[in-house]
Amino acid sequence: QLQLVESGGGLVQPGGSLRLSCAASGFTLDYYAIGWFRQAPGKEREGVSCISSSDGSTYYADSVKGRFTISRDNAKNTVYLQMNSLKPEDTAVYYCAAGAVQAMCAPYEYDYWGQGTQVTVSS
């Protein structure tokens, strides 16, 4: 019954933008840390951006700083990842996840995962 559903992925040209959405059902997002993770073929899943529930602290991987922005809308029970200036190396399956309020941005800290949405950056 607990669900996280990602949407907004697709094919975009280098330099373009996408906004990913993660809608929660069966639980309330505002009591969890929320993270965006990505995994490319043959690579480990990595934390892209995370936001805490307790104090609103955010984390961004060095590779996306200045280009990606994480936000949450508690009224809609939804978290977003705005991705600008996309590069081919951003191509991956992107997952949203929820973890305990004290979670940082490592995959093992997160308990509930969405199904993933494909982001492909290519000309």
Side-chain angles (χ1 to χ4, degrees):
Q1 189 173 352
L2 300 178
Q3 274 198 116
L4 292 167
V5 179
E6 301 97 333
S7 62
L11 176 64
V12 64
Q13 295 189 174
S17 297
L18 286 172
R19 188 174 77 159
L20 305 183
S21 299
C22 176
S25 63
F27 65 100
T28 302
L29 278 179
D30 52 317
Y31 295 107
Y32 294 82
I34 308 299
W36 284 98
F37 302 83
R38 67 187 182 188
Q39 188 166 26
K43 296 183 178 180
E44 289 190 68
R45 189 169 298 186
E46 63 174 337
V48 176
S49 183
C50 298
I51 185 166
S52 73
S53 177
S54 57
D55 64 3
S57 297
T58 58
Y59 164 87
Y60 295 93
D62 287 343
S63 60
V64 307
K65 283 181 180 177
R67 300 189 296 121
F68 291 11
T69 304
I70 190 169
S71 62
R72 63 199 300 166
D73 186 336
N74 290 339
K76 295 182 178 180
N77 214 26
T78 300
V79 64
Y80 303 96
L81 184 68
Q82 179 67 46
M83 306 186 295
N84 298 325
S85 302
L86 283 161
K87 304 174 180 180
E89 51 263 45
D90 295 317
T91 296
V93 177
Y94 283 71
Y95 300 88
C96 68
V101 294
Q102 69 271 26
M104 297 292 98
C105 209
Y108 70 83
E109 298 178 290
Y110 287 77
D111 302 308
Y112 304 101
W113 292 82
Q115 84 288 351
T117 186
Q118 177 71 47
V119 172
T120 302
V121 185
S122 177
S123 58

